[in-house]
Amino acid sequence: DAGVIQSPRHEVTEMGQEVTLRCKPISGHDYLFWYRQTMMRGLELLIYFNNNVPIDDSGMPEDRFSAKMPNASFSTLKIQPSEPRDSAVYFCASSSGVPVGNIQYFGAGTRLSVL
Amino acid sequence: KQEVTQIPAALSVPEGENLVLNCSFTDSAIYNLQWFRQDPGKGLTSLLLIQSSQREQTSGRLNASLDKSSGRSTLYIAASQPGDSATYLCAVMDSNYQLIWGAGTKLIIKP
């Protein structure tokens, strides 16, 4: 398997624009996680899905953020409208089985810069 | 609220040395503790996962220990190599099945 695939790798946009980040989890994995990494706050969990259903979105910072998982092989994280403070690296991860005993596999991340 | 601290923030050692990275957490109610490696511009790679009932895990030159009662974990790297240079992150899984992350230790191994 090619691992978790994220696109784009880099995104530069202007404040107020809509941004969509994409993730393809490892085939067969039933959990998908979206994280954000910044220098100030480190790594933070935004939301996670189990079998395409959002389980915990308490980490989503504002209503400007939304995430979907229309099928087992694709998820999106959308920011609308984007703001400079959204600049960060966004990671997607997937795992098989319950989180307690199973490691998460991370994608290479999307580096987002909002000007 | 669970907090994870990693000390030191950065470490530079000569090649061949053994070294220890430290991780501490404030709430002992965890399901597991995990160590990850992050290379610049890349994602995170899981190194070791220690369940709450375990005391240690080993993989090659890496050994991770867990003392849940004192809220501490160490990652021991034996015979360090330049390829070990990376940022090492510790994370604990809390009662909500969420990973709470430390800020990481940036490790540089000098040839």
Side-chain angles (χ1 to χ4, degrees):
Chain A
D1 201 310
V4 177
I5 299 173
Q6 292 187 246
S7 64
R9 290 295 313 276
H10 303 274
E11 177 79 37
V12 180
T13 190
E14 292 188 348
M15 178 173 142
Q17 297 297 306
E18 177 179 297
V19 175
T20 299
L21 312 181
R22 297 172 176 79
C23 175
K24 176 179 168 53
I26 293 173
S27 177
H29 282 190
D30 53 350
Y31 283 83
L32 184 139
F33 307 81
W34 281 102
Y35 291 91
R36 178 172 68 176
Q37 186 177 39
T38 62
M39 288 294 292
M40 288 294 294
R41 300 174 66 93
L43 265 164
E44 302 172 288
L45 177 67
L46 299 177
I47 184 172
Y48 78 92
F49 296 82
N50 176 220
N51 290 324
N52 314 336
V53 176
I55 302 301
D56 188 338
D57 65 355
S58 59
M60 297 285 263
E62 301 171 30
D63 292 345
R64 298 184 296 107
F65 286 70
S66 62
K68 294 182 180 180
M69 193 164 186
N71 56 62
S73 60
F74 184 66
S75 177
T76 60
L77 178 67
K78 185 176 293 186
I79 308 172
Q80 166 64 11
S82 58
E83 296 183 2
R85 59 193 167 122
D86 301 331
S87 297
V89 180
Y90 291 81
F91 289 103
C92 174
S94 70
S95 69
S96 176
V98 294
V100 171
N102 297 282
I103 65 174
Q104 297 177 21
Y105 294 83
F106 281 74
T110 295
R111 182 174 295 275
L112 173 65
S113 297
V114 183
L115 307 178
Chain B
K1 178 186 174 187
Q2 179 73 269
E3 293 182 0
V4 180
T5 303
Q6 291 187 246
I7 295 173
L11 181 64
S12 180
V13 301
E15 180 180 3
E17 281 199 5
N18 303 326
L19 59 98
V20 175
L21 306 181
N22 297 292
C23 173
S24 62
F25 48 96
T26 55
D27 187 346
S28 62
I30 62 171
Y31 282 112
N32 64 47
L33 183 143
Q34 304 182 39
W35 284 92
F36 289 81
R37 169 184 173 140
Q38 184 173 24
D39 293 279
K42 297 186 179 181
L44 287 78
T45 302
S46 178
L47 298 173
L48 291 164
L49 184 155
I50 311 176
Q51 301 286 10
S52 61
S53 59
Q54 298 175 322
R55 297 283 292 183
E56 66 176 349
Q57 282 286 337
T58 298
S59 176
R61 295 183 294 108
L62 305 180
N63 176 275
S65 69
L66 173 63
D67 184 340
K68 206 170 68 164
S69 61
S70 67
R72 294 181 182 180
S73 175
T74 61
L75 178 66
Y76 175 83
I77 302 177
S80 59
Q81 303 170 358
D84 295 331
S85 298
T87 296
Y88 290 80
L89 294 114
C90 163
V92 298
M93 182 165 286
D94 69 8
S95 54
N96 296 316
Y97 303 109
Q98 292 192 15
L99 284 175
I100 309 300
W101 299 82
T105 294
K106 184 175 183 178
L107 177 64
I108 297 174
I109 307 299
K110 298 174 290 187

